[in-house]
Amino acid sequence: MNVYDSARMADVLAPLGYQPVDDAAAADLIILNTCHIREKAAEKVYSDLGRLQLLKASRGHAAERAGGPLVAVAGCVAQAEGEEILRRAPYVDMVFGPQTYHRLPEMVARVARGAGTALDTEFPPEPKFDSLPLPAAVGTALAGGEVPAVTAFLTVQEGCDKFCTFCVVPYTRGPEYSRSVAAVEAEARALVARGAAELTLLGQNVNAYHGQEEAGTVVGLAGLIRRLARIDGLARIRYTTSHPRDVDDALIACHRDEAKLMPFLHLPVQSGSDRILSAMNRGHDVAEYRRTIDRLRAARPDLALSTDIIVGFPGETDADFEATLDLVREVTFASAFSFKFSARPGTPAALLDAQVPEALKDERLQTLQALLRAQQESFNRGMVGRVLPVLFERAARHPGQIAGRTPYLQAVHAQAPAAWIGTVHDVRILAVGPNSLTAAPVGGAESGPLAAPERISA
Ligand code: SF4
C-alpha cells in the first residue's frame, strides 16, 4: 500500500512541478514514506533521517528553503511518532500520516513561505480519496520504476477494525473505510487506459470491503470484482490482504465464476493453534480456516494459497508450534511470509507475559521456513511441462528475453517477442530456477486451459 500511496503523492505533487528523480541528492523534496510493520521501524527512520540531515547540510543549490531540500516523513511511523519526529529531528519540514497526504500541496506551500513546519496526523472526516486526482498519465512514474505500467495497485479499502493484539494497523491507518464502487471503477479505468492489464486491489482488510454503488446499495468485494471484470483491456484481478473471517459465499462464488480473478489467494492464518489464535484476537479458529480453504478449493480447484505466519507469539508452547506445522502440512502453501513475533509498541501483545526466548523463536522459524520452502519448491517444480498463461510485464536482462508472471505470481522468463509485453500468452514451463521459471512460447494448438495443480505435501 505504501507503493500505491507514494504514487498518489507523486500525482498530488505533479501540478506543483515536482517530478520523481532517481537520486535523493538531486531532489528538492524528499519524502520518507514509512511502514510501521517493520521491526524497530521508528529507529530505522531516525537513522535514515540522520543521513538526510547530512545531505541537507551539504546542499548548496536552490531549494525552497535555504539549507537544502525539504524533508518529509509520511506513512505509519509518522502517524505513530507525530511530534516526536520534529523534536528528535528538527530539520524535518513535514510530518504527515497515511490519511492526510492529499494535503501535501498545502503543507509544501506553508513550509515554502516560511510559516514553519507542518504536522498533520489527523484522521480527517473527509476521505482523502475524494481529493486525490486520477492516476497521472505514463511518464510521471516514480523513480526506480515502482509504478509499473502493466500491473498496478489500487487501494479500495483502508484501515482495520479487527484489532489483532500484535498489530499496529488499527492505530496507524485508522478505522475501516471503503471507497465507493464508482470511484474505484474510475481509477481502474484510468489505470487500464495508461496500460495496466492487471490490477491488485489493496486493503489492510480488503475482503471487508463494503462500498456503495451508484444506486446506494452496498456491495462486498465480490460485487466490486465483478464490476471491474467488465473493463475491456483488464486481463487480471488480484486482491490483498484478506482476512479469513471475511471470506463470504459471494467471494467464493466469485473465485469459481470470474475468469479474470486469479486463482491465487493470500489468506493469513498466523498460527495453527486455537489457543494462540484466541490470544491474537483473530476471531476465528483453525477449524474455520480449514473449512474456508476447503470451500475455496471446491469452488476453484486450481486455487493456490499463500499465508502469513507468526512464530513465538507470547505463550506459544511446543504443542502450539506443532499445531502450526500440522496445519501447514495439511493445507500446503505455494508461498508464505513467516516472521518471529516482535513486540510493536502500543499493542496489547507487547505487554503480555510469557514472551518466548529469542533462541527458541529462531529455532521454530527455521523449522517452519524449511517446511514452507519445501512446499514452495515442490509447487514450482509441479509447473514444469505445463502450459501457463503469463502476463508479460517487461524486457528481461538477456537480449530477446521478456519477463512476466503466472497466475500464481511466479516470475517467468521466456525468449519471446517484445510485442508480447502488456499481454497474456500461453507458454510452456521448461525449468525452475532459484528465483524464476524459464518458459518457451507454445503454438495455439498446444495451448489449453490451465490444469489444476496437484496438491503438494512436504
Ligand atoms: S486484521 Fe490484519 S490489519 Fe487488522 S489488526 Fe489484524 S493483522 Fe492488523
Side-chain angles (χ1 to χ4, degrees):
M1 192 172 279
N2 274 21
V3 173
Y4 173 87
D5 288 343
S6 296
R8 306 316 309 275
M9 288 180 207
D11 290 342
V12 165
L13 289 168
L16 277 64
Y18 285 98
Q19 295 222 333
V21 290
D22 289 326
D23 180 8
D28 294 316
L29 165 62
I30 299 171
I31 303 174
L32 296 185
N33 192 13
T34 61
C35 174
H36 208 300
I37 298 287
R38 306 165 75 205
E39 193 176 5
K40 301 193 178 76
E43 287 318 307
K44 285 172 179 158
V45 170
Y46 287 118
S47 123
D48 280 346
L49 283 175
R51 278 190 286 278
L52 290 181
Q53 181 186 20
L54 296 179
L55 174 71
K56 202 165 170 156
S58 71
R59 279 272 295 272
H61 76 77
E64 279 84 343
R65 247 175 32 157
L70 300 183
V71 172
V73 184
C76 289
V77 173
Q79 187 69 38
E81 292 283 297
E83 215 160 352
E84 177 68 4
I85 294 178
L86 296 175
R87 195 189 64 76
R88 280 182 63 174
Y91 45 87
V92 168
D93 301 287
M94 289 169 267
V95 175
F96 53 94
Q99 302 307 343
T100 50
Y101 62 74
H102 58 295
R103 296 174 178 166
L104 245 174
E106 297 153 44
M107 291 186 248
V108 169
R110 174 191 164 87
V111 175
R113 69 172 182 266
T117 53
L119 171 69
D120 194 347
T121 50
E122 286 177 31
F123 290 116
E126 85 284 358
K128 69 170 178 258
F129 294 104
D130 292 353
S131 312
L132 293 174
L134 282 174
V138 179
T140 54
L142 291 185
E146 289 97 324
V147 183
V150 177
T151 65
F153 293 124
L154 202 178
T155 293
V156 303
Q157 180 277 340
E158 260 196 288
C160 184
D161 298 337
K162 296 233 171 6
F163 289 92
C164 299
T165 53
F166 55 81
C167 183
V168 293
V169 163
Y171 311 99
T172 55
R173 287 268 172 182
E176 269 179 19
Y177 168 78
S178 295
R179 301 177 68 189
S180 74
V181 172
V184 172
E185 185 176 339
E187 189 168 331
R189 288 187 182 279
L191 290 165
V192 171
R194 74 172 196 180
E198 174 180 299
L199 295 180
T200 300
L201 311 183
L202 298 179
Q204 269 78 38
N205 201 0
V206 70
N207 57 338
Y209 176 86
H210 53 282
Q212 269 203 344
E213 288 193 296
E214 293 81 343
T217 45
V218 172
V219 298
L221 184 63
L224 179 69
I225 289 170
R226 288 183 192 278
R227 273 280 291 265
L228 299 181
R230 293 191 220 142
I231 298 176
D232 287 340
L234 178 60
R236 291 180 164 185
I237 301 172
R238 304 180 185 275
Y239 62 89
T240 199
T241 292
S242 44
H243 192 289
R245 263 169 66 189
D246 294 316
V247 179
D248 59 14
D249 292 349
L251 192 55
I252 292 173
C254 197
H255 274 284
R256 182 191 61 213
D257 306 330
E258 187 44 70
K260 290 185 179 180
L261 180 58
M262 290 296 96
F264 184 56
L265 176 59
H266 183 68
L267 195 61
V269 67
Q270 307 299 3
S271 170
S273 156
D274 283 343
R275 220 175 54 80
I276 297 299
L277 287 175
S278 168
M280 288 174 164
N281 192 34
R282 291 289 289 169
H284 66 85
D285 60 18
V286 177
E288 285 172 73
Y289 186 82
R290 278 200 190 98
R291 267 199 303 280
T292 300
I293 299 293
D294 288 346
R295 293 181 62 218
L296 280 159
R297 280 183 163 150
R300 182 81 201 218
D302 62 346
L303 186 86
L305 291 156
S306 71
T307 197
D308 293 336
I309 298 174
I310 295 172
V311 300
F313 188 82
E316 185 188 70
T317 62
D318 287 346
D320 293 320
F321 178 61
E322 279 303 322
T324 297
L325 294 178
D326 286 346
L327 182 70
V328 171
R329 285 190 197 99
E330 181 193 327
V331 174
T332 70
F333 294 98
S335 66
F337 299 96
S338 49
F339 311 90
K340 288 187 292 180
F341 171 80
S342 67
R344 295 295 181 270
T347 60
L351 304 173
L352 290 176
D353 293 332
Q355 298 284 334
V356 175
E358 256 339 275
L360 188 53
K361 284 192 224 171
D362 283 333
E363 195 184 301
R364 287 179 183 166
L365 188 64
Q366 279 178 28
T367 305
L368 175 66
Q369 289 188 337
L371 174 60
L372 291 167
R373 205 165 34 246
Q375 292 191 344
Q376 182 170 23
E377 287 168 3
S378 179
F379 181 79
N380 287 342
R381 274 198 311 275
M383 298 292 148
V384 175
R386 290 182 179 213
V387 173
L388 294 180
V390 168
L391 172 59
F392 286 98
E393 298 171 11
R394 59 183 173 82
R397 221 179 311 144
H398 298 297
Q401 224 181 36
I402 56 175
R405 302 235 170 222
T406 70
Y408 305 111
L409 272 181
Q410 295 149 302
V412 173
H413 289 86
Q415 292 284 337
W420 283 15
I421 293 171
T423 52
V424 178
H425 291 269
D426 283 345
V427 294
R428 187 173 298 285
I429 306 301
L430 304 176
V432 181
N435 301 312
S436 66
L437 310 177
T438 308
V442 293
E446 276 186 277
S447 309
L450 178 59
E454 292 146 25
R455 294 285 298 282
I456 313 294
S457 48

